[in-house]
Structures are given as structure tokens and as C-alpha cells.
Amino acid sequence: MKRIISCVFALAVMAVSPSAYAVQPDEIMSDPAKELRARDLSRELRCMVCQNQSIDDSEAPLARDLRLLVRERIAAGDSDAQVIDFLVARYGEFVLLKPRLNSHTWLLWLLPPLALAGGGFALWVNGRRRTKAGTSQDDALFALTADEETRLERLIAEPSPDKPV
């Protein structure tokens, strides 16, 4: 019983504890406001080694270098937009976890909703087609021939040996 309680307690502690970040103590800025800005920016930037992780979550050496670069730019007095623009100019749009909507990325942003709408429309058309075709097929499938109808009437009319008359 004690083992179960300790396991439940350990799971509860893990569930409540904040997720671990890859930011090392030596990277943290002394000014809490600037550190908060750096963390917010780090969550928006992609680790180019891990590719689907932010540099805030990644432990890759390149992510560490990018986190330090973000902090250097903030310490130099750059705004958030200037830091992002600097990194995009240096590494390209790929460095952003959420790409900007512009002429180069409109297909990236519009293709998923269009594909979803097209798939929904195709399902709707297919359902309508099946409903229309299904009624005529069902009628033909369950229609009885004249011989079958007479045999069925005969079976219904004659008493069953299992049933009392």
C-alpha cells in the first residue's frame, strides 16, 4: 500500500511541476524583465537542429548559441521586432516557429484550411451520392420475385409446429 501511495505522490509531483527548459543558469540575464523578453522570444524561434522545438526547449549547442545571441541583442537595446528581424535576416524565415504571412508563405497558411474544406466537401458529395444511389439499390436488393412472395405468404399462413393454435 505504501508503494502505491508513493507512486501516486511521485506522479502528482511530476504532473504539477513546471516543464524543464534547456536554458542554463549561466544564460539567465540579471534583469528579470529582459529575461522574460528573452524567454518569450526564445519560445518563438525554431532550433534548426531539432526543427520542431523552440530554442527555449532544445539542448542543442546551436540552440544555446541562439539563446545567447537573443540575450546579447536584448542587452544591446534591440526591441523584440529588431531581434526577430536580425535572426530572420541571418537564418531565414525557417528560424521562426510560426512563419509570417507574406507572399512567400501564403500557400503554407492557406493550404491546410483549403484541404480541410475540400475534404469535407468531398465527404458531403460522396454521402449525398450514396444516399441517392442507396435507395434504388436497397429497393432492388430487397425486392422479392413472384415465386418468393407466394412462398412467403404460404409460410406465414401455415401454422408452426412450435406455436399452439
Side-chain angles (χ1 to χ4, degrees):
M1 185 67 176
K2 287 183 180 182
R3 214 177 237 190
I4 293 173
I5 292 173
S6 63
C7 286
V8 169
F9 180 72
L11 288 174
V13 169
M14 286 190 293
V16 174
S17 67
S19 59
Y21 294 107
V23 177
Q24 302 299 316
D26 61 335
E27 297 175 27
I28 297 175
M29 300 177 83
S30 58
D31 183 4
K34 288 183 180 180
E35 178 60 25
L36 182 63
R37 280 183 54 210
R39 295 297 290 270
D40 288 340
L41 285 173
S42 295
R43 287 186 197 103
E44 296 176 20
L45 299 170
R46 178 189 320 269
C47 172
M48 289 171 285
V49 175
C50 308
Q51 294 197 5
N52 283 332
Q53 261 187 328
S54 69
I55 62 172
D56 198 49
D57 297 330
S58 175
E59 294 183 13
L62 179 61
R64 176 182 164 80
D65 293 343
L66 286 173
R67 287 192 303 265
L68 291 172
L69 184 60
V70 166
R71 284 167 172 75
E72 285 174 17
R73 302 298 295 188
I74 288 174
D78 287 357
S79 68
D80 292 354
Q82 289 172 325
V83 173
I84 295 288
D85 289 341
F86 174 79
L87 291 170
V88 167
R90 193 168 186 182
Y91 297 103
E93 288 278 332
F94 185 72
V95 78
L96 299 175
L97 271 175
K98 183 179 174 186
R100 298 174 183 163
L101 181 61
N102 59 32
S103 61
H104 299 290
T105 60
W106 67 269
L107 187 64
L108 176 71
W109 283 100
L110 295 179
L111 194 59
L114 290 176
L116 187 63
F121 181 73
L123 287 173
W124 179 75
V125 167
N126 191 23
R128 302 247 324 153
R129 188 178 307 146
R130 281 185 167 206
T131 302
K132 287 180 182 177
T135 55
S136 62
Q137 286 179 352
D138 289 346
D139 293 344
L141 183 66
F142 295 114
L144 299 176
T145 63
D147 291 338
E148 291 171 333
E149 284 184 23
T150 56
R151 182 172 175 229
L152 180 64
E153 288 173 10
R154 195 170 7 116
L155 287 172
I156 291 173
E158 75 182 37
S160 168
D162 298 339
K163 294 182 185 176
V165 180

